[in-house]
Amino acid sequence: MRSVRHYALCALLVCGTILPIPFLSHRVHAEKAQDWIDSERLYSHVEQLARTARPPATETEFAAAVYVENTLRSYGYKTKLDPFSYYTYRKPTTLSLTMEEWPGQKWTVSGFTFGINGTATAEVVDAGLGRAVDFANDASRGKIALVKRGEIPFGEKVRQAAAAGAVGLIIWNDREEGWNASLGEPLDIAVPVIALSKADGTKLQKRIMDKRPVKGTVKVEGAVTTKQTSYNIMASRKPNQSDTGQVIMVSAHHDSAGLSAGANHNGSGVAALLEIARNMADKPIDTEVRFVSFGAVTSGSRGPIAYANALSAKERQAIIAAFYVEGVGSQKTELVATNPLGKENLPIQLLRAAGVSPSDKAGTRERIGAASSLGAAGIPTALVTSAGAGQATDDSIAQMDWEQMVKATKAVLSAIHKVTEQTTPAYPMGSPNGGQLRAESEALQ
């Protein structure tokens, strides 16, 4: 059931600002449809979205989701508003380690995402790799356990320490390079935990092994874990008559980073998605066309991850090509397509046939991460973006290149037509790398 907030925001932020958009008449030849991209509509979508920042899990992000949903519904699509939850973490304000035996020692201390607050003062004992077997002798009960990185996840080390009755945990690095210091998620059972460098960890372990007394204090204060809720918007159109059983997908994200207006990142991608959906609303097709606008991409690609995790293996295999559109309105840049997993696949080949050059210059990790989340789920994915264009300081509508946006929208629409036209055969399924697809794409030009 839709919430009261959903409809209230719809009325205030959508229905009162956007007039219904009538359908254009049906064009017989799908290949000609790219000539009907309406730049004024693209501008209108970006302008609407960029009126305010849309940080993840906020009212303004939700309002953007409602705008996308209602626009898709105005084109005749059935839509689904899909909420998902995730956790964010604010780093501790205090993170420290002190040792009675080394009163002046400066330890190289860092924290773990989702680590809990707490202060523990006790003898420090060595607990190997922090596995269940390392805690089996009960020597860590009431103590601070020192464990080495490796073999099992950090979160599991914390759980094992807590289960063994330890009051705190120190995890030291077993290599010189850094690490992604995260427990993965808030834990059901935990103790305060800090990280130590390899040099400091080795030094501390040696003193313990020499059976010299080591008493320390681990302190973690000011950390905050918060549960957030964001939304993905989904719409699809089933085939008219014959059905290949396959799905082709267009996606973007409607949130923006921080206080940015997010005109290019990613109002441009959402506008392209909506204009493609409008063009596909009345076409004869033999392949399902699916549109997904993700939430919370700027908070760790949460939307794409939630979407991919909800798909069954059969549903993932049915998606033969996914186009993730991001930042396609950058000025003085080249429009490119990339597969973040580094392989040639069907969407890359279709975009090449539509005039977009494959490239590994895909810009920010954020954009690559969102597309990678789909690719990692076994969905052949292409990121459509502007080469080398990072997040602009002033991501306003004044900075947009509208010709670039039109070009990107035309290219993705043309690629979709290669698959969905009833005159074209179904593509081989279960072959993410494309195999024989290049020749087929070239034959359809």
Side-chain angles (χ1 to χ4, degrees):
M1 180 179 293
R2 299 291 172 83
S3 66
V4 172
R5 182 177 72 163
H6 178 112
Y7 288 109
L9 282 171
C10 167
L12 289 173
L13 298 173
V14 180
C15 300
T17 58
I18 299 295
L19 294 175
I21 303 175
F23 293 120
L24 295 184
S25 61
H26 174 66
R27 275 80 68 191
V28 176
H29 299 294
E31 288 297 311
K32 300 294 184 182
Q34 59 179 318
D35 298 330
W36 291 84
I37 298 299
D38 189 335
S39 60
E40 289 299 319
R41 291 177 191 266
L42 290 173
Y43 181 91
S44 177
H45 294 317
V46 176
E47 180 184 44
Q48 177 70 19
L49 292 165
R51 288 180 179 179
T52 184
R54 310 175 302 280
T58 61
E59 292 286 351
T60 51
E61 189 213 33
F62 183 76
V66 172
Y67 172 76
V68 173
E69 182 182 33
N70 280 275
T71 304
L72 288 168
R73 292 177 69 181
S74 76
Y75 299 151
Y77 291 92
K78 290 184 178 180
T79 61
K80 180 183 179 184
L81 180 66
D82 193 16
F84 59 90
S85 296
Y86 62 97
Y87 292 93
T88 58
Y89 185 76
R90 190 176 71 195
K91 294 181 179 180
T93 54
T94 300
L95 195 67
S96 66
L97 172 66
T98 57
M99 293 287 176
E100 287 188 3
E101 291 72 24
W102 286 299
Q105 174 73 34
K106 299 294 183 183
W107 301 96
T108 307
V109 177
S110 56
F112 288 89
T113 301
F114 300 123
I116 66 169
N117 295 316
T119 300
T121 299
E123 180 186 354
V124 182
V125 297
D126 185 72
L129 290 167
R131 303 161 300 183
V133 66
D134 297 312
F135 287 107
N137 59 10
D138 210 35
S140 297
R141 186 167 300 278
K143 310 293 177 58
I144 295 173
L146 174 71
V147 305
K148 186 166 68 171
R149 173 187 182 180
E151 194 162 320
I152 62 174
F154 298 133
E156 186 60 24
K157 294 176 188 287
V158 175
R159 283 194 179 97
Q160 292 295 343
V167 295
L169 183 66
I170 302 170
I171 302 177
W172 62 281
N173 206 346
D174 65 343
R175 60 206 77 172
E176 298 296 338
E177 67 267 22
W179 49 16
N180 178 22
S182 175
L183 305 184
E185 61 183 357
L187 303 180
D188 51 351
I189 178 173
V191 294
V193 57
I194 61 171
L196 272 187
S197 66
K198 180 180 180 180
D200 284 350
T202 302
K203 179 179 181 179
L204 186 54
Q205 187 191 49
K206 184 178 186 304
R207 185 179 179 95
I208 295 171
M209 293 297 99
D210 289 343
K211 301 189 182 304
R212 289 186 287 170
V214 182
K215 185 176 182 181
T217 298
V218 169
K219 182 179 288 187
V220 182
E221 294 180 345
V224 178
T225 297
T226 307
K227 186 176 184 179
Q228 308 279 17
T229 299
S230 185
Y231 299 83
N232 290 334
I233 301 297
M234 291 172 280
S236 66
R237 178 152 177 256
K238 302 291 185 180
N240 301 72
Q241 296 176 353
S242 59
D243 187 349
T244 63
Q246 300 175 341
V247 178
I248 192 164
M249 177 175 159
V250 182
S251 62
H253 74 89
H254 49 262
D255 62 306
S256 66
L259 299 178
S260 170
N264 191 33
H265 299 285
N266 189 28
S268 66
V270 174
L273 179 152
L274 292 174
E275 181 62 3
I276 293 167
R278 184 184 68 83
N279 271 270
M280 293 302 300
D282 60 350
K283 294 289 182 299
I285 56 175
D286 64 3
T287 302
E288 179 184 340
V289 184
R290 186 176 302 167
F291 300 94
V292 185
S293 185
F294 296 120
V297 164
T298 59
S299 186
S301 300
R302 305 289 184 171
I305 292 171
Y307 175 79
N309 286 344
L311 296 173
S312 66
K314 183 178 180 180
E315 288 170 329
R316 294 180 190 187
Q317 187 179 32
I319 305 174
I320 62 169
F323 302 93
Y324 179 74
V325 188
E326 162 77 56
V328 291
S330 299
Q331 297 179 347
K332 300 178 181 178
T333 58
E334 179 189 6
L335 187 68
V336 297
T338 185
N339 174 8
L341 300 185
K343 297 179 180 179
E344 181 87 353
N345 61 12
L346 173 58
I348 292 292
Q349 293 173 3
L350 292 170
L351 287 166
R352 180 193 285 113
V356 180
S357 301
S359 172
D360 58 359
K361 298 177 180 179
T364 65
R365 184 172 62 180
E366 175 184 294
R367 280 183 270 172
I368 295 173
S372 294
S373 299
L374 300 177
I379 300 171
T381 304
L383 166 64
V384 185
T385 189
S386 300
Q391 184 76 42
T393 303
D394 176 22
D395 192 2
S396 67
I397 200 166
Q399 306 301 314
M400 298 289 292
D401 183 336
W402 300 105
E403 290 185 3
Q404 179 88 312
M405 268 200 67
V406 170
K407 179 180 177 182
T409 308
K410 285 182 177 180
V412 177
L413 182 59
S414 176
I416 292 172
H417 283 313
K418 299 286 188 185
V419 177
T420 61
E421 276 200 305
Q422 293 178 327
T423 57
T424 61
Y427 285 83
M429 294 180 68
S431 178
N433 296 335
Q436 59 190 310
L437 301 177
R438 179 180 299 179
E440 293 180 16
S441 294
E442 293 174 347
L444 291 171
Q445 293 186 66

